[in-house]
Amino acid sequence: DFAEISIKDIDQIAKTSFPLCMRHLFEKVREDHHLKHGGRMQLGLFLKGVGLKVDDALAFWKAEFAQKVGAERFDKEYAYNIRHNYGREGKRTDYTPYSCQKVILSTPGVGDHHGCPYRHFSEENLRAALARMGVGSRIVEDVIDKARNRHYQLACTLTFEAGHGSSCDAGVNHPNQYFIESQKILQ
Ligand code: SF4
């Protein structure tokens, strides 16, 4: 398995191997130096599943949040939750990354960036995001069609296949599975 990723590789890996839901959150935290709770949970647990160790996770989030709220407030208000997700605080539950179903059924509000883009983005924003990923216009139409018909995971599978030039017979059912399938092809 792909047990570990390091912070220095993370931007590159996000571009090539993160599904759109996580890529969007990743880009937002880099851009805004902040994410609301739902986004921190969705991305944070995904990164944990991808193999980011707790100390690297703390460094990653701190580097961004410190630019917005300062290092001290980060340590006071946000670090606990990250350690908590890794089972280092509270009941010491080892929280698992969200499945597609869980992400698709989430209900992002104003200012939230979590959720599944194939469900929660406007058509216009989805088109723009797909274009940024380099998906060709004919495939974009297929993806939009699937999303419109509420086949979000099929839409994601088509995007995966377009981006990797390879079929994904198992389909996409978990963001971390998307990542693993991608790394299998790219490594
Ligand atoms: Fe993420 Fe799953 Fe939606 Fe793909 S289908 S964007 S992996 S939640």
Side-chain angles (χ1 to χ4, degrees), residues 28 86 136 143 162 169 176:
K28 277 294 162 195
Y86 278 80
V143 171
D169 297 332
N176 289 86

Side-chain angles (χ1 to χ4, degrees), residues 41 45 48-49 52 54 82-97:
M41 290 297 288
L45 289 172
K48 175 186 164 186
L52 196 66
V54 63
I82 293 160
R83 286 196 301 270
H84 192 260
N85 280 349
Y86 278 80
R88 303 295 170 88
E89 300 280 1
K91 284 186 287 177
R92 304 200 168 246
T93 312
D94 210 1
Y95 293 93
T96 49

Side-chain angles (χ1 to χ4, degrees), residues 73-138:
R73 218 181 119 196
F74 174 84
D75 290 340
K76 247 196 241 146
E77 291 176 30
Y78 298 96
Y80 177 91
N81 257 303
I82 293 160
R83 286 196 301 270
H84 192 260
N85 280 349
Y86 278 80
R88 303 295 170 88
E89 300 280 1
K91 284 186 287 177
R92 304 200 168 246
T93 312
D94 210 1
Y95 293 93
T96 49
Y98 295 171
S99 66
C100 287
Q101 201 188 350
K102 181 159 174 133
V103 173
I104 287 167
L105 291 176
S106 66
T107 50
V110 177
D112 278 326
H113 295 292
H114 64 277
C116 173
Y118 301 100
R119 175 170 191 190
H120 296 112
F121 276 17
S122 68
E123 190 174 312
E124 192 190 347
N125 285 349
L126 182 55
R127 277 179 195 282
L130 292 167
R132 273 203 308 279
M133 287 175 91
V135 179
S137 52
R138 192 176 51 81

Side-chain angles (χ1 to χ4, degrees), residues 19-21 100 103-104 116-118 152-153 156 172 174-175 178:
L20 186 52
C21 54
C100 287
V103 173
I104 287 167
C116 173
Y118 301 100
Y152 310 115
Q153 288 163 258
C156 190
V172 175
H174 198 294
Y178 181 113

Side-chain angles (χ1 to χ4, degrees), residues 12 17 171:
Q12 180 55 34
S17 294

Side-chain angles (χ1 to χ4, degrees), residues 14-16 18-27 132-133:
K15 270 205 195 82
T16 58
F18 283 15
L20 186 52
C21 54
M22 302 302 171
R23 195 179 146 124
H24 178 61
L25 285 169
F26 186 82
E27 287 173 354
R132 273 203 308 279
M133 287 175 91

